[in-house]
Amino acid sequence: MSEDTNPFESLQSQIDDAAAYLDVGDDIIERLKHPERVLETNLTIERDDGDLERFKAFRSQFNGDRGPYKGGIRYHPQVSRDEVKALSGWMTYKTAIVDIPLGGGKGGIVIDPDDYSESELERLTRSFARELRPMIGEDRDVPAPDVNTGQREMNWIKDTYETLENTTEPGVITGKALDSGGSEGRVEATGRSTVLAAREAFDYLDKDLEGATVAVQGYGNAGWIAAKLIDEMGATVVAASDSSGGIYNPDGFDPVAAKDHKNETGSVVGFEGSEETVTNADVLTLDVDLLIPAALENAIDADLAEEVKADVISEAANGPLTPNADAVLEEKDVFVVPDILANAGGVTVSYFEWVQNRQRFSWSEERVNEELEGVIVDAFDALVDTYEEHDLENPRTAAYVVAIQRVADAFEEAGSWP
Ligand code: AKG
C-alpha cells in the first residue's frame, strides 16, 4: 500500500466534499465530523495457561440525533481509536441514507482471534460486555457483529448484559442466533444489499447484469454471499480472493463451491474451478463489469485505482477506497455505489431484528428480504435524485448530501438547551 490513509480523515474529507452542496451551517458540519464520545478501555483476561493478558478495546458513539447509536464490534489486530471513530461515523450516515431511526456507533478489540481459544474469547467478550453495560441498551446503543465476530459473540454479550441487568432485553444487541432472538436474513443481509445496490446501479446506467462479469475481493461472509446472490441474478463470478490470494477463471466458477473449498482448506486458493492463481491486487484490477471490494478499509489507493477496469464498484466493505482513489475513479467515470448504501443491508436487517425483539414477534425470511429490498431501492433513488439535482460526479457525495441533511435536520429539530 503506497498511501498511508487514516480512515477518520477519509470520513472527514467525505463530509467536507458533501458540505458544499448542503444547506447546513459550518458549525453543524463541524459537529457532524466528530464522535460524541469514545470509550477506550483495557480488558485483562486469564489465558488458558493461567497467564494474564491485556487487550485494548474501544466503543465510539458518533451520533445519536436520529436514534440509538448502532454499529458492530470487530476483533482485529488493526483496530485503532481512529478506525473505530471513522467506522462509527460511517454508521451514522449509513443509517441516515437508508432512513432507519438509528444513530451510529462502532466498537472493536485489538486482537487476532485466531490465536485464542473459544473460552478465552468468551472471557474477553464478557469482559468487554461488562465495560459496555452502562452505555448500551435497546434505546441507548445497540451493538452488532462486524469483522471476526458473529452470533456467538452477540449471544455472549446479550447474556452478560441481561444477567447483570436482571432483565430480558434481546434488543440490546442484534445479529444474534435465531433461537436467541436473531432475525431471519441477517447473516446474508450485507451481501444481499451489496448486490441489490449493484443491480440498481446497472439499471440506472442501462447496463445488463445478466452475463456481466464480477470480481469479489474478500471472501468472508459479505463477499461470498454477494458472489452467490449475484450469480443467482445471472452474472458470472470470474474472480475472488481472501488474505491468502486470489482465483481467476475467465469463464466463471460456482461461488458456493469456492466457499466450500475455503471452508475445507482455509482459503479460496487451490479451488479446482479456478484457472489461475492471482494476487489480491490482480482481483481488484481485472477487466470486469462489476467489482465488489468486501474486505477492509483502504484496499484501493490512487495507484491501484489507476489500474481499475471495472465499470461499477459496489462496496461491501466499509471504506475500501481512499479519497485519492475515489478522485481517480471519478475521473475515469467508474460508478461507485458507496459503502454507506451498498452494505447497509446488515444494519437494516439489524433494525428489523430490533423491531421484532420489541414486538416479541418474528418475521418470515421472505418478509425480511422484501422489506430490505424496498429500503435499498428507496435509498438508491434518493441518491440518484440528489446526484442529478446537483449534477454531481461522484455518487458517494450524493449519498452524503442526503444522509448529512437528514442528521442535521434531526439535530436542528431537537432545538437547543437555553
Ligand atoms: C456495519 O454496517 O458496518 C455494521 O457494523 C453493522 C451494524 C448492525 O448490524 O447494526
Side-chain angles (χ1 to χ4, degrees):
M1 182 70 38
S2 54
E3 222 181 285
D4 187 15
T5 305
N6 175 324
F8 186 55
E9 288 169 12
S10 299
L11 165 77
Q12 295 194 317
S13 93
Q14 290 161 349
I15 295 171
D16 284 338
D17 287 346
Y21 302 94
L22 281 158
D23 184 21
V24 174
D26 289 348
D27 49 349
I28 294 179
I29 292 291
E30 186 56 23
R31 176 176 184 276
L32 297 181
K33 284 167 74 174
H34 295 273
E36 291 174 14
R37 66 191 66 79
V38 182
L39 168 77
E40 177 172 337
T41 182
N42 288 290
L43 309 170
T44 300
I45 59 147
E46 190 176 318
R47 298 288 309 265
D48 292 343
D49 63 7
D51 284 353
L52 297 180
E53 188 169 340
R54 178 185 66 86
F55 299 85
K56 200 171 264 303
F58 305 92
R59 180 78 182 168
S60 170
Q61 295 181 329
F62 196 93
N63 186 284
D65 291 331
R66 302 181 75 255
Y69 308 99
K70 187 83 190 83
I73 292 178
R74 64 174 55 183
Y75 291 0
H76 197 276
Q78 272 173 33
V79 165
S80 69
R81 192 180 175 93
D82 270 359
E83 185 196 48
V84 165
K85 281 162 60 180
L87 289 161
S88 65
W90 285 325
M91 284 308 307
T92 300
Y93 300 111
K94 193 181 297 189
T95 55
I97 181 75
V98 291
D99 210 6
I100 54 178
L102 296 169
K106 200 77 157 205
I109 303 181
V110 186
I111 183 177
D112 184 347
D114 288 346
D115 296 340
Y116 296 84
S117 70
E118 177 159 356
S119 55
E120 289 169 336
L121 292 173
E122 178 167 0
R123 283 196 288 284
L124 184 64
T125 305
R126 288 188 185 274
S127 164
F128 196 22
R130 285 195 298 275
E131 282 293 308
L132 291 174
R133 178 168 72 116
M135 63 196 288
I136 63 175
E138 65 182 1
D139 286 319
R140 203 170 291 142
D141 182 352
V142 184
D146 199 86
V147 176
N148 292 330
T149 59
Q151 294 180 340
R152 182 183 67 172
E153 288 74 15
M154 299 308 110
N155 290 354
W156 288 332
I157 295 173
K158 170 180 177 281
D159 181 63
T160 309
Y161 180 87
E162 290 185 332
T163 304
L164 295 174
E165 291 287 327
N166 189 24
T167 188
T168 57
E169 193 181 314
V172 68
I173 196 141
T174 60
K176 304 175 291 290
L178 275 185
D179 290 330
S180 303
S183 176
E184 295 285 355
R186 173 62 184 85
V187 173
E188 298 79 21
T190 307
R192 185 174 292 279
S193 66
T194 303
V195 304
L196 288 170
R199 183 195 71 188
E200 294 305 292
F202 270 63
D203 202 30
Y204 176 64
L205 300 169
D206 250 338
K207 289 173 68 69
D208 212 351
L209 194 55
E210 180 86 34
T213 51
V214 185
V216 182
Q217 180 245 2
Y219 222 58
N221 192 46
W224 99 262
I225 299 275
K228 172 178 166 277
L229 295 176
I230 205 96
D231 174 79
E232 286 171 11
M233 285 177 178
T236 306
V237 180
V238 296
S241 66
D242 55 38
S243 52
S244 305
I247 54 175
Y248 176 54
N249 183 339
D251 297 327
F253 55 79
D254 175 2
V256 179
K259 172 63 175 166
D260 290 344
H261 177 84
K262 183 173 161 71
N263 285 349
E264 278 159 30
T265 66
S267 172
V268 291
V269 176
F271 170 54
E272 62 179 8
S274 164
E275 288 264 295
E276 238 181 276
T277 301
V278 291
T279 65
N280 244 289
D282 292 334
V283 168
L284 291 165
T285 54
L286 281 168
D287 190 1
V288 289
D289 299 303
L290 171 65
L291 174 63
I292 299 181
L296 292 174
E297 302 92 70
N298 298 341
I300 304 181
D301 66 6
D303 289 345
L304 208 54
E306 296 284 359
E307 308 298 320
V308 165
K309 295 171 200 71
D311 300 325
V312 177
I313 296 180
S314 190
E315 296 182 327
N318 291 306
L321 310 187
T322 67
N324 290 339
D326 234 2
V328 171
L329 294 170
E330 184 181 317
E331 279 292 308
K332 291 170 67 168
D333 267 343
V334 178
F335 192 94
V336 178
V337 188
D339 46 7
I340 60 170
L341 196 166
N343 71 36
V347 73
T348 302
V349 176
S350 273
Y351 166 60
F352 298 158
E353 179 174 331
W354 180 82
V355 170
Q356 292 169 72
N357 291 157
R358 308 195 76 151
Q359 293 176 330
R360 304 270 170 185
F361 182 74
S362 296
W363 301 359
S364 67
E365 186 176 357
E366 198 182 20
R367 171 165 179 200
V368 168
N369 289 342
E370 220 172 87
E371 301 246 6
L372 171 61
E373 182 166 357
V375 166
I376 298 299
V377 170
D378 286 353
F380 190 87
D381 289 347
L383 179 156
V384 161
D385 284 350
T386 299
Y387 185 67
E388 292 183 348
E389 181 190 335
H390 293 290
D391 203 13
L392 292 167
E393 305 281 338
N394 189 333
R396 188 186 314 280
T397 304
Y400 274 94
V401 170
V402 176
I404 294 171
Q405 188 69 59
R406 286 179 179 161
V407 180
D409 287 349
F411 171 67
E412 290 199 286
E413 284 159 10
S416 54
W417 288 78

